[in-house]
Amino acid sequence: AIMQSGTLKGSVVHGETGKAIAGATVIALKPYLEKAKDDEVPLWGQLNEARRLRTGSDGTFAIEDLPENYWNLWVEKAGYAWTTVPRAKFKEEHVIRLFPACSLWGKVIYEDGEPAVGVKIEYTPQGTHSEVFSRYRLKSYYITTGSDGTFEYTDLPPGKFTIEAYPDGHLPAPWTAEPPLKPGENRRLPVHKLDRGFGMKVFVRWLGTNQPAEGIEVVVKPIADPMPRTRIGKRRRTDENGVARFSGLGGQVMDDPKFQITAILPGVGPVEPDRRSIGPDEEVTIYLRRDGVIKGKVLGADGEPLPRFHISVEPIGFLTRQLWVWGERGEFKLYQVPEGRYKLHVRHGNLVEVEREVASKPGEETDIGTIRMESGAEIY
């Protein structure tokens, strides 16, 4: 087959006046597609630079002999905000508008008015720009506050953005919503206050015996926080006493901060305490049921471990416990299986489903050994 090729062409103009901009850099970015875990659906990887040139005196450009593909254009010039053209097409005459660059100035202090020195600040553009920006250069701009708690960004694009502060060891502290930047705007953000953080202890114990649960992951997330990054929360594992210790649970000054706390039990998921909303000065205990554990290993028709398969056991109460297993060794574990006998099902693609009977005993681990699946009928 002959690889088709084409030309990406157009012009770069001032976003407000429409006047041609000479000497702007136009870069063609080639997407690199990575395969998903199931080797079926391609995923976006990074974007790699393939060709660059500068616009002529009339602001025009033409990048020739590009193979047929998804192409993205990155355009920049000193004094202007960069911009992008996602999925540029050969047949179109692209008119790309550059706007005067924007800037942001801000200051971060603690509640007592002392400058917050050395705090990492993250600026993230929103909307179309970030689609290419996140895969070509950096996902966002990072900067650190100076000795007086101030910071400044230059050469920013107009449009929507978010700002977060990252006090050392603390959860991110988002600004309140800011209106979009206007072309050429030099904005001074309101002074942002941080608290110095506080600690919390979370106790995780086994129900019935009250024994400490060691090595359990605990997640603490602030409630009613608008920033996606903040919603990730902080994670710690319990020690030999079943205690997960957290520090720096602050950053943004709030009148009555509340947190959601969960213990992550493998094969089961998040387990919450009786109270969903918990304050920073409260102690909390999460109780886990200590039922049986069923484990095993699954091989494909070729005798090799399956990297992906589906496990289910029935019945558990009125529901079936289901688990998608991803990995390289074909191993699985089902936790918190109440005492009783179950039918365990293993499924994968067009391989023949395997069914096994298994018994679960409280506090014991049942190893059902190795399951080898057989090839099923193929449909053409």
Side-chain angles (χ1 to χ4, degrees):
I2 299 176
M3 177 71 74
Q4 299 294 318
S5 63
T7 300
L8 289 175
K9 60 183 179 179
S11 59
V12 179
V13 301
H14 193 288
E16 295 174 314
T17 66
K19 184 179 178 180
I21 297 178
T25 301
V26 182
I27 304 172
L29 301 175
K30 178 175 63 175
Y32 170 73
L33 297 180
E34 298 174 341
K35 290 186 178 180
K37 291 181 180 179
D38 58 7
D39 292 331
E40 295 175 359
V41 182
L43 299 174
W44 279 105
Q46 73 271 17
L47 292 178
N48 301 319
E49 181 178 331
R51 200 87 54 79
R52 69 165 58 201
L53 52 73
R54 292 185 182 274
T55 57
S57 58
D58 58 354
T60 61
F61 67 90
I63 306 177
E64 300 175 339
D65 297 326
L66 294 174
E68 191 174 34
N69 205 333
Y70 288 126
W71 287 98
N72 303 272
L73 293 177
W74 172 284
V75 185
E76 61 186 13
K77 182 176 173 61
Y80 292 87
W82 49 263
T83 191
T84 64
V85 180
R87 299 197 172 190
K89 295 179 175 58
F90 289 156
K91 296 181 181 180
E92 293 185 8
E93 186 81 21
H94 299 281
V95 178
I96 304 172
R97 301 195 302 166
L98 289 186
F99 290 91
C102 308
S103 67
L104 287 174
W105 180 95
K107 184 174 184 178
V108 185
I109 63 174
Y110 291 111
E111 274 189 294
D112 57 7
E114 182 180 344
V117 180
V119 173
K120 186 173 73 172
I121 306 296
E122 180 183 20
Y123 162 90
T124 306
Q126 303 295 304
T128 305
H129 287 295
S130 59
E131 179 180 344
V132 173
F133 182 50
S134 62
R135 298 188 177 98
Y136 175 52
R137 295 210 172 165
L138 297 172
K139 188 173 183 180
S140 57
Y141 292 117
Y142 291 95
I143 204 169
T144 303
T145 58
S147 58
D148 59 352
T150 63
F151 64 91
E152 185 175 10
Y153 285 103
T154 57
D155 297 327
L156 300 181
K160 296 181 179 180
F161 66 94
T162 59
I163 290 280
E164 287 183 287
Y166 288 79
D168 186 27
H170 294 192
L171 288 167
W175 256 254
T176 54
E178 289 287 332
L181 287 169
K182 297 178 181 178
E185 180 181 359
N186 299 313
R187 182 178 300 177
R188 293 178 66 90
L189 296 172
V191 174
H192 194 59
K193 287 186 178 181
L194 304 175
D195 62 39
R196 295 185 182 272
F198 43 82
M200 180 184 291
K201 290 197 298 185
V202 179
F203 299 86
V204 183
R205 298 186 177 277
W206 295 109
L207 187 63
T209 65
N210 207 38
Q211 293 296 311
E214 182 180 358
I216 300 297
E217 186 179 47
V218 178
V219 182
V220 175
K221 301 180 182 180
I223 294 177
D225 199 316
M227 303 302 290
R229 185 71 61 84
T230 308
R231 289 200 295 267
I232 296 174
K234 299 194 73 170
R235 297 172 180 263
R236 296 288 185 272
R237 290 193 177 272
T238 55
D239 58 19
E240 65 276 7
N241 298 314
V243 180
R245 293 176 169 83
F246 293 84
S247 61
L249 292 176
Q252 185 177 21
V253 176
M254 301 176 66
D255 294 333
D256 185 23
K258 294 292 184 181
F259 296 88
Q260 178 186 355
I261 302 175
T262 54
I264 308 299
L265 196 60
V268 177
V271 180
E272 298 182 354
D274 293 336
R275 296 168 296 149
R276 181 175 176 82
S277 179
I278 299 167
D281 297 324
E282 303 177 60
E283 287 192 352
V284 60
T285 302
I286 299 176
Y287 290 96
L288 305 177
R289 287 188 7 232
R290 193 167 205 166
D291 295 317
V293 177
I294 298 174
K295 71 175 185 178
K297 187 172 185 176
V298 179
L299 306 180
D302 57 0
E304 294 297 319
L306 276 181
R308 174 178 177 264
F309 54 92
H310 182 264
I311 288 280
S312 65
V313 291
E314 58 176 355
I316 295 179
F318 299 101
L319 299 174
T320 297
R321 172 73 50 77
Q322 300 186 38
L323 175 68
W324 279 105
V325 178
W326 295 85
E328 297 179 354
R329 298 184 295 178
E331 298 174 345
F332 68 90
K333 275 190 178 184
L334 290 165
Y335 290 81
Q336 284 195 293
V337 182
E339 182 179 9
R341 298 193 65 81
Y342 300 91
K343 287 185 178 180
L344 183 144
H345 303 267
V346 184
R347 298 193 297 275
H348 174 81
N350 68 338
L351 299 181
V352 177
E353 179 176 331
V354 175
E355 181 180 302
R356 291 278 184 88
E357 286 196 4
V358 60
S360 176
K361 299 179 181 179
E364 295 186 12
E365 190 171 88
T366 302
D367 189 346
I368 66 170
T370 300
I371 297 174
R372 180 162 179 168
M373 307 186 75
E374 301 296 336
S375 298
E378 295 187 8
I379 301 176
Y380 296 93

